[in-house]
């Protein structure tokens, strides 16, 4: 009897301990200053400790180090100290393997039961990593929210350790969600407010500066991916619900148009007959310069190759014939897509429509008029509340207004203190330069610094500058301003929430400059500092 009683007590104790544990998978966070090099994959809360499970990402051979002074910060700035770790020793360097993936966990003092969210602070200096607003509860989504399970296998990609999930046309530098690849497999549940197109991108391809997105339609159910190495990506397989199947069926039909041309081109290339002799020679020289890491020679050869491309002398006669045939096939493919969008007014058709208009607005590529007509006659009425409809309204307004002689588009954004500022209130009755920029955009910052002397010379004559930084964190903007010494008002576009870049037709670019007169008419787009100065000289003489 005593033995049974002891067993019952042990079971009750085990149940009690288990009930005290709380696990949050992929907790939602507000900001992450690590540029997503450090991601929290799981949190365990118990009566005796708080455990954070991390996935760290670094270039192979490079290292990370976690400061032993790392803490969790709760309400009223209460701190919870680190008590242990696994997979990493705080204060010591850990070098990344070939995959670039370093999983580890940190143990902290138990957080109070009333804590709803915490901050992770790595170290105690302003430049140390920080992840804020870490939710200690499962975020509840609307009953109408779509649950789409992404499940996949990675073939022959040992260097790939995580994937980026992002909405089509969003900028990976300021938005998106990362999740890990473990033992060549991944699984992630995407919760979306509606059916729309998303993309997966390998993080190692982003690091290399060249990536190929893997699209799919988010719909209730499971999407299965089989993804190969970059050289074998034609073998990739994506299977899911009916909309994803329809999307890929069209893509397959479209690619079949070009298969005979691809065969001709491959045959000519294998014989060295696709490019002109001059261009072939330059290609070989470019390979030699690249291997020798001779940048000056590479730049010089690149200019010569670009000239041959623009002049039409890049291809042999046989190559030119293939190019002409490809142009005809492109026109045929365009008509096929337009007919598909007209005949299939569902989310697949809508996605193709939005994509076509996006390229016309942001890359000035192609005529979007037929697609805008279909939007006005079919899609706007059928999908009045869909995000694509809102995106289309923004892009159409951008096409109409953002040009020399058009009118600037008003917007509201917060300043560094969180105060909402409407730009029309700031530039009223002034000649103004709207400077869209980002801390990670080198050309944008060089343009901004070049504009400082112009601003100082004309600010008392009726000229002003308003900067808007597109960032994932406020600190990134503040650090850049402190370094570049911008003397004018700067607002922030956090994670693209205000769609300002879309409104001004610069899509996923770092930024752009728009000079407007006192009546709001656009005088110049992307002017240099010298060009702005010349215009101001004329205006204020």
């Amino acid at each position: 009897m005593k033995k049974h009683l002891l067993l019952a007590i042990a079971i009750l104790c085990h149940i009690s301990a288990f009930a005290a544990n709380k696990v949050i998978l992929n907790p939602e966070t507000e900001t992450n200053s690590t540029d997503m090099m450090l991601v929290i994959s799981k949190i365990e809360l118990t009566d005796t400790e708080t455990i954070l499970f991390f996935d760290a990402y670094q270039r192979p051979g490079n290292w990370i180090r976690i400061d032993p002074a790392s803490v969790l910060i709760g309400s009223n700035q209460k701190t919870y100290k680190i008590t242990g770790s696994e997979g990493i020793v705080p204060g010591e360097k850990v070098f990344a393997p070939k995959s670039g993936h370093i999983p580890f966990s940190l143990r902290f003092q138990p957080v109070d039961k009333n804590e709803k969210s915490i901050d992770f602070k790595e170290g105690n200096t302003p430049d140390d990593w920080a992840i804020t607003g870490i939710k200690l509860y499962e975020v509840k989504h609307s009953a109408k929210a779509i649950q789409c399970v992404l499940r996949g296998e990675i073939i022959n990609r040992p260097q790939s350790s995580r994937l980026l999930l992002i909405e089509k046309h969003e900028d990976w530098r300021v938005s998106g969600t990362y999740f890990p690849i473990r033992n060549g497999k991944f699984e992630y549940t995407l919760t979306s407010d509606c059916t729309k197109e998303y993309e997966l991108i390998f993080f190692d391809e982003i690091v290399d500066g060249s990536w190929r997105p893997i699209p799919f339609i988010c719909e209730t159910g499971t999407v299965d991916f089989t993804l190969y190495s970059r050289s074998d990506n034609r073998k990739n397989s994506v299977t899911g619900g009916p909309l994803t199947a329809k999307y890929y069926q069209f893509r397959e039909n479209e690619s079949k148009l070009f298969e005979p041309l691809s065969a001709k081109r491959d045959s000519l290339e294998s014989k060295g007959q696709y490019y002109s002799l001059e261009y072939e020679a330059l290609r070989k020289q470019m390979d030699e310069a690249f291997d020798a890491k001779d940048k000056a020679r590479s730049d010089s050869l690149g200019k010569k190759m670009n000239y041959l491309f623009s002049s039409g002398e890049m291809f042999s006669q046989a190559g030119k014939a293939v190019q002409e045939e490809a142009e005809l096939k492109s026109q045929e493919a365009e008509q096929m897509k337009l007919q598909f969008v007209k005949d299939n007014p569902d989310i697949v058709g809508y996605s193709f429509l939005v994509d076509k208009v996006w390229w016309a607005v942001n890359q000035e590529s192609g005529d979007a008029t037929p697609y805008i007509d279909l939007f006005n006659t079919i899609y706007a009425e059928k999908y009045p509340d869909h995000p694509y409809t809102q995106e289309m309204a923004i892009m159409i307004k951008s096409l109409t207004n953002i040009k020399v002689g058009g009118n600037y588009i008003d917007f509201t954004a917060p300043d560094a203190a969180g105060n909402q500022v409407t730009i029309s209130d700031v530039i009223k009755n002034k000649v103004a330069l709207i400077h869209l920029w980002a801390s990670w955009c080198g050309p944008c910052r060089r343009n901004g610094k070049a504009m400082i002397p112009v601003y100082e010379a004309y600010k008392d004559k009726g000229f002003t500058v308003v900067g808007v930084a597109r960032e994932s964190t406020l600190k990134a903007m503040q650090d850049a301003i402190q370094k570049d010494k911008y003397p004018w008002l700067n607002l922030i576009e956090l994670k693209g929430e205000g769609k300002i870049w879309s409104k001004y037709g610069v899509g996923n670019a770092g930024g752009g400059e728009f000079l407007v007169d006192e009546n709001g008419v656009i005088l110049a787009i992307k002017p240099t500092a010298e060009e702005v100065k010349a215009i101001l000289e004329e205006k204020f003489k």
Side-chain angles (χ1 to χ4, degrees), residues 424-450:
S424 58
D425 294 338
V426 179
I427 68 174
K428 185 178 181 181
N429 299 324
K430 292 185 179 182
V431 179
L433 184 78
I434 301 170
H435 178 220
L436 306 184
W437 64 285
S439 63
W440 38 266
C441 175
C444 304
R445 292 176 66 173
R446 287 193 292 272
N447 293 342
K449 286 187 285 186

Side-chain angles (χ1 to χ4, degrees), residues 457-497:
Y458 292 93
K459 66 180 181 180
D460 295 327
K461 298 181 180 181
F463 173 63
T464 192
V465 178
V466 180
V468 187
R470 188 185 199 188
E471 307 291 350
S472 58
T473 67
L474 174 62
K475 186 176 183 300
M477 180 186 83
Q478 292 173 320
D479 289 348
I481 292 173
Q482 184 177 12
K483 184 174 182 180
D484 295 347
K485 309 298 182 185
Y486 298 146
W488 48 72
L489 171 66
N490 273 282
L491 310 177
I492 187 166
E493 166 89 327
L494 272 174
K495 299 184 178 180
E497 59 189 9

Side-chain angles (χ1 to χ4, degrees), residues 217 219 238-251 348:
I217 303 296
E219 51 191 318
V238 182
T239 58
L243 292 175
T244 296
K246 190 174 188 178
Y247 179 96
Y248 274 95
Q249 183 61 60
F250 177 84
R251 291 275 295 262
V348 179

Side-chain angles (χ1 to χ4, degrees), residues 49-60:
E49 62 182 351
T50 300
I51 310 173
L52 270 61
F53 294 81
F54 291 92
D55 288 302
Y57 299 91
Q58 182 59 281
R59 288 178 180 272

Side-chain angles (χ1 to χ4, degrees), residues 37-38 54-68 85-106 122 129:
M37 289 177 61
L38 196 65
F54 291 92
D55 288 302
Y57 299 91
Q58 182 59 281
R59 288 178 180 272
N62 289 2
W63 54 268
I64 67 165
R65 179 171 53 197
I66 298 297
D67 196 310
S85 63
E86 291 182 3
I88 198 169
V89 177
E92 295 185 7
K93 295 178 181 179
V94 177
F95 289 85
K98 288 183 179 180
S99 67
H101 180 208
I102 307 170
F104 67 93
S105 62
L106 298 177
E122 187 266 332
W129 282 345

Side-chain angles (χ1 to χ4, degrees), residues 129-399:
W129 282 345
I131 304 176
T132 68
I134 306 164
K135 305 293 188 295
L136 298 181
Y137 54 89
E138 298 287 350
V139 177
K140 293 183 178 180
H141 297 279
S142 165
K144 296 180 180 179
I146 293 168
Q147 299 282 323
C148 182
V149 179
L150 313 180
R151 187 172 59 196
E153 182 177 8
I154 311 299
I155 309 296
N156 195 26
R157 293 192 66 119
Q159 79 282 10
S160 299
S161 57
R162 65 170 168 170
L163 286 158
L164 169 66
L165 169 66
I166 194 166
E167 289 185 37
K168 179 84 170 189
H169 300 142
E170 291 295 316
D171 192 328
W172 64 270
R173 291 164 294 197
V174 294
S175 61
T177 300
Y178 289 94
F179 56 85
I181 299 166
R182 292 192 173 92
N183 300 318
K185 297 182 184 297
F186 66 86
E187 183 167 324
Y188 181 85
T189 299
L190 164 61
T191 301
S192 177
D193 55 352
C194 64
T195 302
K196 50 190 166 184
E197 184 177 352
Y198 282 79
E199 295 174 334
L200 292 182
I201 305 174
F202 282 101
F203 179 70
D204 54 285
E205 293 185 0
I206 292 176
V207 171
D208 291 341
S210 175
W211 59 90
R212 185 185 293 270
I214 302 145
F216 67 96
I217 303 296
C218 170
E219 51 191 318
T220 300
T222 300
V223 181
D224 288 300
F225 301 81
T226 305
L227 306 177
Y228 290 79
S229 63
R230 190 181 305 191
S231 59
D232 287 334
N233 59 30
R234 291 183 180 180
K235 296 180 182 178
N236 287 353
S237 170
V238 182
T239 58
L243 292 175
T244 296
K246 190 174 188 178
Y247 179 96
Y248 274 95
Q249 183 61 60
F250 177 84
R251 291 275 295 262
E252 183 179 345
N253 293 339
E254 188 179 38
S255 66
K256 284 179 180 178
L257 288 175
F258 296 93
E259 285 179 358
L261 284 175
S262 296
K264 286 183 184 180
R265 184 191 62 206
D266 292 345
S267 176
L268 289 172
E269 280 204 74
S270 67
K271 300 172 186 176
Q273 298 173 355
Y274 184 60
Y275 298 106
S276 65
L277 295 177
E278 186 178 1
Y279 190 81
E280 279 285 5
L282 288 173
R283 286 181 74 197
K284 291 179 182 177
Q285 293 174 46
M286 179 64 86
D287 289 342
E288 293 169 0
F290 184 79
D291 292 339
K293 298 182 179 179
D294 188 340
K295 187 176 186 304
R297 189 175 178 220
S298 296
D299 291 344
S300 176
L301 291 169
K303 291 178 181 178
K304 293 178 181 179
M305 294 172 77
N306 286 336
Y307 171 76
L308 293 180
F309 173 76
S310 60
S311 65
E313 300 174 50
M314 173 180 176
F315 302 100
S316 66
Q317 288 302 315
K320 287 179 181 177
V322 172
Q323 287 295 307
E324 290 170 1
E325 193 175 347
E327 179 59 31
L328 293 174
K329 285 295 182 184
S330 294
Q331 295 174 16
E332 184 180 345
E334 179 58 37
Q335 289 302 311
M336 185 172 77
K337 180 172 285 187
L338 182 62
Q339 191 63 46
F340 180 92
V341 171
K342 183 178 181 179
D343 294 341
N344 297 270
D346 53 20
I347 294 301
V348 179
Y350 209 176
S351 178
F352 288 147
L353 183 153
V354 170
D355 187 59
K356 181 66 179 181
V357 179
W358 188 92
W359 282 99
V361 171
N362 296 283
Q363 304 294 330
E364 298 180 1
S365 172
D367 179 16
T369 304
Y371 291 89
I372 293 174
D373 290 343
L374 290 175
F375 167 73
N376 289 327
T377 57
I378 299 175
Y379 287 87
E381 183 178 354
K382 184 171 182 180
Y383 299 98
D385 300 320
H386 196 281
Y388 284 171
T389 305
Q390 300 166 21
E391 186 177 351
M392 282 294 297
I394 290 172
M395 291 192 294
I396 291 171
K397 189 173 183 180
S398 176
L399 277 173

